Amino acid sequence: MNATFEHIILKDELSQSELFGEYYDEMLDYKDAAQAFTDTMTEDVGELLNNILFKYPSLAAFQRDMLGCIFNEFNKIRMTIDPKRLKSFEHYLNDDGELLLYRKTENSLINIIINPEDCIAFSSIPHNPEINRQLYFIYPNGDFETLAYRFFTN
Amino acid sequence: MGILKRLRTAFLRIKECLFNSNNSNGMEECPLAYIPDRLKTFNRPAITRFDVGEFLYRRCKPSEIENPFKSITITELSHNRSGLKEDTLCNDYDVLFNINAEEAFEKHVDKVVCTLKIVSLTENNKYRKEFTQRKNEMDYVGVMELIHEPESCMYPHCVFRVWVNDEVVTYDNRKQTIDKLSEIRTRLKEELASMIITKQVNQNAAPSNP
């Protein structure tokens, strides 16, 4: 009960944020909790980051740095918001050396594309062509917090 | 089957050499007997325009449909076009024919057909998009255009061709061109990925920057 109360207060406070209110609102809505991480290995964000770094030893230094920035935000969500909001996702290193973190939802495909240099990109492509897709780029020192929220939204 | 195909190909090549069977386009006759005549180019010229409502067929790996960013390349992405309303050129499954005479099989059995419908084009009935990037105080322009480019064994063959600052991007020069331009490369891939996911080619659609 106490935890529920704290959750309500936290949600209320975070929802008032001008920049991120709508993202916090969606993230703190419990109806999708079943899709959150269930694998015990990935309960620990740091361990998942290590697994990715171990699996793809050819990653460029830029990609390793960007991964660190992204997982730092994932960890903040886990520690300060709710670990159940970290929904499962997959990763893949393609032939062009782009590291993909991606989620397939019922309605769309969401990718964080970590290029070998320069920038990373966020892409959300709905299956329904009537709904607008999203694409934007983030450079070092960019807004990784919003990126993390968008990745786990929907 | 493989030996028979090679013998047949060798026979047709000898025949070509003896009788100089180039057609009026300067294109060699198709040496593959298993390709139906309706798909062979013969003397037909390329059709420079496309139609809204026309379909593009592409053979792809099932994993590509799951997440196109995993395997899509942006150099010479081949498709078959279904043809204008008044002149159907091919069926969807025709794209599974192997038109490379050097390979000893007739059909790509490990691939599936990905179908795209053209829903909008430019005023002159083409698909053409530009993407820009500024890097190291230089401006770069990437262009992607859909072009009908018949092969001797596959008249409906067309490609999404990419240029960077007027230079065609090929497998050989991609490291010096598009691989250095992360933004343009990602925008091109995102455009192609959206085609595969929405099953549409849409000249007028573009992603928003939220």
Side-chain angles (χ1 to χ4, degrees):
Chain A
M1 179 67 82
N2 192 34
T4 306
F5 186 62
E6 285 175 3
H7 167 77
I8 292 168
I9 292 172
L10 179 64
K11 180 181 176 183
D12 189 48
E13 286 175 356
L14 293 175
S15 295
Q16 291 173 27
S17 162
E18 275 188 27
L19 278 176
F20 306 117
E22 62 181 275
Y23 301 115
Y24 284 122
D25 267 338
E26 287 193 54
M27 290 177 59
L28 293 168
D29 184 343
Y30 266 123
K31 66 187 178 189
D32 270 337
Q35 291 178 19
F37 277 140
T38 51
D39 185 337
T40 51
M41 184 189 76
T42 55
E43 288 287 342
D44 186 333
V45 172
E47 194 171 327
L48 176 57
L49 173 59
N50 283 336
N51 287 337
I52 292 175
L53 293 172
F54 183 76
K55 185 172 181 182
Y56 309 117
S58 61
L59 289 179
F62 175 80
Q63 290 172 305
R64 290 169 175 268
D65 290 346
M66 294 300 100
L67 260 182
C69 293
I70 293 166
F71 273 74
N72 189 38
E73 296 302 330
F74 289 177
N75 203 38
K76 281 185 194 169
I77 291 172
R78 176 175 176 266
M79 300 297 285
T80 63
I81 310 294
D82 183 350
K84 290 178 182 171
R85 301 305 133 196
L86 294 177
K87 296 166 186 170
S88 74
F89 64 89
E90 297 174 64
H91 45 84
Y92 187 82
L93 184 65
N94 68 22
D95 289 343
D96 288 336
E98 299 159 343
L99 179 64
L100 310 174
L101 310 181
Y102 65 98
R103 294 180 56 231
K104 291 167 287 180
T105 72
E106 194 178 329
N107 302 317
S108 61
L109 173 69
I110 302 169
N111 275 273
I112 293 175
I113 302 145
I114 308 176
N115 290 303
E117 56 185 283
D118 294 339
C119 62
I120 68 176
F122 172 87
S123 161
S124 173
I125 304 176
H127 298 294
N128 180 353
E130 300 300 318
I131 301 173
N132 209 6
R133 58 193 216 256
Q134 298 179 346
L135 176 69
Y136 71 98
F137 296 90
I138 299 172
Y139 288 81
N141 304 320
D143 182 358
F144 291 90
E145 186 181 7
T146 306
L147 175 78
Y149 297 145
R150 288 201 169 114
F151 187 59
F152 292 118
T153 299
N154 297 324
Chain B
M1 180 66 82
I3 293 169
L4 280 175
K5 182 185 167 185
R6 283 179 187 190
L7 282 172
R8 201 161 49 206
T9 304
F11 172 76
L12 286 167
R13 288 228 166 125
I14 292 167
K15 188 176 148 197
E16 276 170 28
C17 292
L18 289 174
F19 300 104
N20 189 22
S21 63
N22 284 6
N23 63 29
S24 61
N25 289 336
M27 187 183 284
E28 283 189 359
E29 294 288 353
C30 174
L32 302 173
Y34 59 82
I35 300 290
D37 280 352
R38 64 185 167 81
L39 295 176
K40 294 178 180 173
T41 293
F42 297 117
N43 291 319
R44 290 183 286 180
I47 303 165
T48 55
R49 71 183 180 95
F50 290 83
D51 258 353
V52 170
E54 187 171 356
F55 292 98
L56 301 180
Y57 307 119
R58 173 159 175 259
R59 60 172 179 267
C60 55
K61 299 173 193 166
S63 63
E64 196 173 303
I65 296 172
E66 181 220 0
N67 184 356
F69 286 101
K70 284 169 108 174
S71 55
I72 207 156
T73 60
I74 49 178
T75 47
E76 302 292 303
L77 207 60
S78 291
H79 288 70
N80 275 358
R81 62 182 297 181
S82 66
L84 305 176
K85 292 184 185 80
E86 63 273 15
D87 185 17
T88 301
L89 300 180
C90 70
N91 302 308
D92 53 356
Y93 51 81
D94 290 330
V95 78
L96 296 176
F97 277 118
N98 175 32
I99 58 170
N100 184 351
E102 306 299 320
E103 295 173 338
F105 61 93
E106 296 182 4
K107 285 228 170 182
H108 291 266
V109 293
D110 58 333
K111 303 279 177 63
V112 295
V113 180
C114 175
T115 301
L116 311 179
K117 184 178 184 180
I118 298 176
V119 298
S120 73
L121 293 165
T122 63
E123 283 181 359
N124 54 353
N125 279 62
K126 290 178 186 259
Y127 167 89
R128 186 181 189 279
K129 288 199 178 182
E130 282 189 15
F131 306 91
T132 57
Q133 179 180 350
R134 186 165 179 79
K135 183 177 180 181
N136 299 333
E137 300 186 357
M138 283 271 293
D139 290 318
Y140 295 90
V141 180
V143 173
M144 180 161 64
E145 186 169 338
L146 178 62
I147 295 171
H148 183 207
E149 194 167 84
E151 296 275 350
S152 62
C153 292
M154 192 57 69
Y155 179 65
H157 179 261
C158 56
V159 292
F160 283 99
R161 180 155 297 151
V162 173
W163 291 262
V164 171
N165 288 1
D166 297 326
E167 183 179 4
V168 176
V169 176
T170 65
Y171 287 104
D172 293 332
N173 71 6
R174 56 176 295 168
K175 286 203 184 305
Q176 290 77 44
T177 55
I178 202 73
D179 282 4
K180 295 289 181 193
L181 300 168
S182 298
E183 272 196 33
I184 289 179
R185 189 182 66 241
T186 302
R187 288 187 191 281
L188 288 163
K189 285 192 177 188
E190 195 271 345
E191 176 72 15
L192 292 164
S194 77
M195 290 180 194
I196 293 169
I197 291 168
T198 62
K199 301 179 172 60
Q200 289 188 352
V201 176
N202 191 337
Q203 175 67 36
N204 298 328
S208 64
N209 182 348

